[in-house]
PDB file of all heavy atoms in Angstrom:
ATOM      1  N   ASN A  43       2.174 -17.067   9.847  1.00  0.00           N
ATOM      2  CA  ASN A  43       3.398 -16.515  10.416  1.00  0.00           C
ATOM      3  C   ASN A  43       4.058 -17.456  11.427  1.00  0.00           C
ATOM      4  O   ASN A  43       4.617 -17.015  12.416  1.00  0.00           O
ATOM      5  CB  ASN A  43       3.130 -15.149  11.050  1.00  0.00           C
ATOM      6  CG  ASN A  43       2.736 -14.131   9.995  1.00  0.00           C
ATOM      7  OD1 ASN A  43       2.983 -14.344   8.806  1.00  0.00           O
ATOM      8  ND2 ASN A  43       2.120 -13.047  10.394  1.00  0.00           N
ATOM      9  N   PRO A  45       6.954 -20.733  11.746  1.00  0.00           N
ATOM     10  CA  PRO A  45       8.127 -21.118  10.964  1.00  0.00           C
ATOM     11  C   PRO A  45       7.806 -22.141   9.876  1.00  0.00           C
ATOM     12  O   PRO A  45       8.400 -22.118   8.801  1.00  0.00           O
ATOM     13  CB  PRO A  45       9.078 -21.710  12.000  1.00  0.00           C
ATOM     14  CG  PRO A  45       8.441 -21.577  13.322  1.00  0.00           C
ATOM     15  CD  PRO A  45       7.140 -20.875  13.191  1.00  0.00           C
ATOM     16  N   PRO A  56       6.402  -6.934  10.300  1.00  0.00           N
ATOM     17  CA  PRO A  56       7.147  -8.163  10.626  1.00  0.00           C
ATOM     18  C   PRO A  56       6.612  -8.866  11.875  1.00  0.00           C
ATOM     19  O   PRO A  56       5.807  -8.298  12.622  1.00  0.00           O
ATOM     20  CB  PRO A  56       8.559  -7.653  10.879  1.00  0.00           C
ATOM     21  CG  PRO A  56       8.405  -6.223  11.240  1.00  0.00           C
ATOM     22  CD  PRO A  56       7.157  -5.718  10.576  1.00  0.00           C
ATOM     23  N   ASP A  57       7.074 -10.087  12.081  1.00  0.00           N
ATOM     24  CA  ASP A  57       6.710 -10.851  13.274  1.00  0.00           C
ATOM     25  C   ASP A  57       7.918 -10.999  14.155  1.00  0.00           C
ATOM     26  O   ASP A  57       9.033 -11.035  13.683  1.00  0.00           O
ATOM     27  CB  ASP A  57       6.272 -12.257  12.876  1.00  0.00           C
ATOM     28  CG  ASP A  57       5.177 -12.195  11.886  1.00  0.00           C
ATOM     29  OD1 ASP A  57       4.081 -11.842  12.282  1.00  0.00           O
ATOM     30  OD2 ASP A  57       5.460 -12.467  10.692  1.00  0.00           O
ATOM     31  N   ARG A  58       7.654 -11.142  15.405  1.00  0.00           N
ATOM     32  CA  ARG A  58       8.731 -11.432  16.358  1.00  0.00           C
ATOM     33  C   ARG A  58       9.400 -12.738  15.954  1.00  0.00           C
ATOM     34  O   ARG A  58       8.830 -13.799  16.161  1.00  0.00           O
ATOM     35  CB  ARG A  58       8.165 -11.595  17.761  1.00  0.00           C
ATOM     36  CG  ARG A  58       7.520 -10.367  18.294  1.00  0.00           C
ATOM     37  CD  ARG A  58       8.130  -9.958  19.630  1.00  0.00           C
ATOM     38  NE  ARG A  58       8.280  -8.517  19.624  1.00  0.00           N
ATOM     39  CZ  ARG A  58       9.436  -7.887  19.485  1.00  0.00           C
ATOM     40  NH1 ARG A  58      10.557  -8.553  19.367  1.00  0.00           N
ATOM     41  NH2 ARG A  58       9.502  -6.584  19.462  1.00  0.00           N
ATOM     42  N   ASP A  59      10.548 -12.679  15.350  1.00  0.00           N
ATOM     43  CA  ASP A  59      11.373 -13.847  14.993  1.00  0.00           C
ATOM     44  C   ASP A  59      10.650 -14.878  14.155  1.00  0.00           C
ATOM     45  O   ASP A  59      11.181 -15.948  13.909  1.00  0.00           O
ATOM     46  CB  ASP A  59      11.897 -14.563  16.248  1.00  0.00           C
ATOM     47  CG  ASP A  59      12.594 -13.603  17.162  1.00  0.00           C
ATOM     48  OD1 ASP A  59      13.201 -12.662  16.643  1.00  0.00           O
ATOM     49  OD2 ASP A  59      12.514 -13.797  18.387  1.00  0.00           O
ATOM     50  N   HIS A  60       9.430 -14.590  13.783  1.00  0.00           N
ATOM     51  CA  HIS A  60       8.663 -15.549  13.012  1.00  0.00           C
ATOM     52  C   HIS A  60       8.509 -16.878  13.730  1.00  0.00           C
ATOM     53  O   HIS A  60       8.291 -17.918  13.143  1.00  0.00           O
ATOM     54  CB  HIS A  60       9.302 -15.773  11.642  1.00  0.00           C
ATOM     55  CG  HIS A  60       8.300 -15.567  10.551  1.00  0.00           C
ATOM     56  ND1 HIS A  60       7.715 -14.370  10.322  1.00  0.00           N
ATOM     57  CD2 HIS A  60       7.768 -16.414   9.660  1.00  0.00           C
ATOM     58  CE1 HIS A  60       6.878 -14.478   9.328  1.00  0.00           C
ATOM     59  NE2 HIS A  60       6.872 -15.706   8.920  1.00  0.00           N
ATOM     60  N   THR A  61       8.702 -16.908  15.014  1.00  0.00           N
ATOM     61  CA  THR A  61       8.628 -18.181  15.734  1.00  0.00           C
ATOM     62  C   THR A  61       7.727 -18.068  16.947  1.00  0.00           C
ATOM     63  O   THR A  61       7.589 -18.996  17.708  1.00  0.00           O
ATOM     64  CB  THR A  61      10.023 -18.609  16.238  1.00  0.00           C
ATOM     65  OG1 THR A  61      10.563 -17.532  16.996  1.00  0.00           O
ATOM     66  CG2 THR A  61      10.961 -18.947  15.106  1.00  0.00           C
ATOM     67  N   SER A  62       7.118 -16.918  17.140  1.00  0.00           N
ATOM     68  CA  SER A  62       6.307 -16.737  18.336  1.00  0.00           C
ATOM     69  C   SER A  62       4.995 -17.500  18.181  1.00  0.00           C
ATOM     70  O   SER A  62       4.664 -17.971  17.097  1.00  0.00           O
ATOM     71  CB  SER A  62       6.013 -15.257  18.532  1.00  0.00           C
ATOM     72  OG  SER A  62       5.341 -14.760  17.413  1.00  0.00           O
ATOM     73  N   LEU A 204      12.474  -4.758  14.610  1.00  0.00           N
ATOM     74  CA  LEU A 204      11.615  -4.811  15.800  1.00  0.00           C
ATOM     75  C   LEU A 204      12.432  -4.574  17.066  1.00  0.00           C
ATOM     76  O   LEU A 204      11.947  -4.011  18.044  1.00  0.00           O
ATOM     77  CB  LEU A 204      10.902  -6.160  15.878  1.00  0.00           C
ATOM     78  CG  LEU A 204       9.726  -6.344  14.927  1.00  0.00           C
ATOM     79  CD1 LEU A 204       9.071  -7.693  15.167  1.00  0.00           C
ATOM     80  CD2 LEU A 204       8.699  -5.233  15.068  1.00  0.00           C
ATOM     81  N   MET A 534      13.312  -8.516   6.628  1.00  0.00           N
ATOM     82  CA  MET A 534      13.487  -9.927   7.010  1.00  0.00           C
ATOM     83  C   MET A 534      12.948 -10.793   5.870  1.00  0.00           C
ATOM     84  O   MET A 534      11.819 -10.602   5.425  1.00  0.00           O
ATOM     85  CB  MET A 534      12.705 -10.251   8.286  1.00  0.00           C
ATOM     86  CG  MET A 534      13.242  -9.629   9.543  1.00  0.00           C
ATOM     87  SD  MET A 534      14.882 -10.221  10.012  1.00  0.00           S
ATOM     88  CE  MET A 534      14.623 -12.002  10.093  1.00  0.00           C
ATOM     89  N   PRO A 603      15.097 -21.166  10.889  1.00  0.00           N
ATOM     90  CA  PRO A 603      13.812 -20.613  11.335  1.00  0.00           C
ATOM     91  C   PRO A 603      13.898 -19.104  11.572  1.00  0.00           C
ATOM     92  O   PRO A 603      14.846 -18.623  12.173  1.00  0.00           O
ATOM     93  CB  PRO A 603      13.538 -21.361  12.652  1.00  0.00           C
ATOM     94  CG  PRO A 603      14.306 -22.636  12.517  1.00  0.00           C
ATOM     95  CD  PRO A 603      15.514 -22.334  11.679  1.00  0.00           C
ATOM     96  N   GLY A 604      12.922 -18.391  11.042  1.00  0.00           N
ATOM     97  CA  GLY A 604      12.940 -16.931  11.171  1.00  0.00           C
ATOM     98  C   GLY A 604      13.591 -16.253   9.975  1.00  0.00           C
ATOM     99  O   GLY A 604      13.417 -15.064   9.767  1.00  0.00           O
ATOM    100  N   GLY A 605      14.369 -17.032   9.180  1.00  0.00           N
ATOM    101  CA  GLY A 605      14.971 -16.447   7.970  1.00  0.00           C
ATOM    102  C   GLY A 605      16.161 -15.564   8.281  1.00  0.00           C
ATOM    103  O   GLY A 605      16.840 -15.743   9.290  1.00  0.00           O
TER     104      GLY A 605
END
Side-chain angles (χ1 to χ4, degrees):
N43 294 342
D57 305 288
R58 297 235 139 254
D59 307 327
H60 233 64
T61 54
S62 59
L204 284 183
M534 290 295 304

